[in-house]
Amino acid sequence: MAEIPAAPFPFTFDPKSMALVVIDMQRDFAEPGGFGASLGNDVSRVQKIVPTVKKLIEGFRAAGLPVIHTMECHRPDLSDLPPAKRDRGNPTIRIGDEGPMGRVLIAGEPGTAILEELAPLPGEIVIEKPGKGAFYATPFGDELKRLGAQQLVFAGVTTEVCVQTTMREANDRGYECLLAEDATESYFPEFKAAALAMIRAQGAIVGWTATTDEVLQGIADA
Ligand code: TIU
């Protein structure tokens, strides 16, 4: 078994069962005029982690390890969008409405796409998910089983919403989860700090955290 110097204690892994999961690095969360901005958020915070996420993705690819991408999005007919989700809060534009980058969070629209710098390569798994967690109403769990993945490294946005929800879902299903702390971001710095702390509290109750360089070094040494 190989090791990454993580918190709250080293994360041991078998390279044969390791995969990277990049959560929702979509234009809708990172660019003005998208869903994240419609909720009143400063999306420039998400832009800042793009080079680090890219480095992590490229490290996994170079090591021949799987990279899985997720996208929060809905069908054009909104059949997978509960009214409770669409009608929540007071956004400037709602999911499904026409915005500056096409219909907000709708599959196939320009704003829903993964950022060009982080685009999936042909053959990489892309999971379209209607919820915050990646397991709900998707083939994510089946794809992980098909890959034989047991240890998952997470990156993406936002730390306390889709990343944390997916990590908790994965943890309950028996996966060991490590969050790359500099390759994830929140619109709220205090929420990111709290999410990292609660993930690794109580002896890694949800999982581990480490920097991108620590993850990549651990993989290189394996
Ligand atoms: N991907 C994800 O986290 N979806 C969100 O809606 N996040 C917010 O923080 N709003």
Side-chain angles (χ1 to χ4, degrees):
M1 290 290 264
E3 202 169 273
I4 292 167
F9 52 85
F11 180 81
T12 53
F13 68 98
D14 178 350
K16 289 196 292 298
S17 56
M18 182 88 140
L20 174 64
V21 183
V22 184
I23 303 283
D24 301 359
M25 288 301 293
Q26 298 162 246
R27 297 182 64 200
D28 255 318
F29 295 109
E31 294 185 16
F35 180 65
S38 82
L39 299 171
N41 296 308
D42 171 12
V43 293
S44 70
R45 296 185 57 80
V46 173
Q47 283 288 345
K48 291 198 186 93
I49 64 162
V50 171
T52 312
V53 178
K54 188 176 164 71
K55 182 177 178 182
L56 188 59
I57 290 174
E58 287 175 349
F60 270 71
R61 285 175 181 156
L65 300 178
V67 178
I68 302 169
H69 308 258
T70 72
M71 303 169 72
E72 182 175 349
C73 62
H74 296 273
R75 296 190 196 122
D77 65 2
L78 308 185
S79 57
D80 60 356
L81 175 61
K85 182 175 179 182
R86 178 175 157 83
D87 297 341
R88 188 83 47 85
N90 190 25
T92 49
I93 36 174
R94 291 188 188 276
I95 298 172
D97 289 350
E98 197 69 46
M101 297 191 287
R103 292 181 68 198
V104 174
L105 282 195
I106 298 300
E109 296 288 330
T112 308
I114 292 173
L115 293 167
E116 207 173 278
E117 306 94 299
L118 307 177
L121 290 183
E124 287 180 349
I125 295 165
V126 180
I127 301 291
E128 295 187 347
K129 62 181 183 61
K132 302 305 182 191
F135 286 86
Y136 170 66
T138 76
F140 185 50
D142 292 338
E143 294 286 5
L144 291 175
K145 284 193 191 118
R146 191 175 59 77
L147 289 172
Q150 288 294 323
Q151 285 107 25
L152 306 177
V153 172
F154 284 87
V157 294
T158 60
T159 315
E160 80 282 11
V161 183
C162 291
V163 176
Q164 185 177 209
T165 301
T166 303
M167 283 186 74
R168 288 174 179 275
E169 288 182 330
N171 188 50
D172 282 349
R173 287 165 173 78
Y175 296 96
E176 290 167 306
C177 301
L178 181 149
L179 177 56
E181 59 192 55
D182 50 354
T184 184
E185 195 46 272
S186 169
Y187 300 122
F188 306 89
E190 68 276 26
F191 290 173
K192 175 178 175 177
L196 291 170
M198 66 176 79
I199 283 166
R200 60 192 172 219
Q202 305 181 68
I205 194 92
V206 177
W208 288 255
T209 66
T211 65
T212 291
D213 284 345
E214 286 168 338
V215 171
L216 294 180
Q217 189 62 53
I219 288 171
D221 293 344

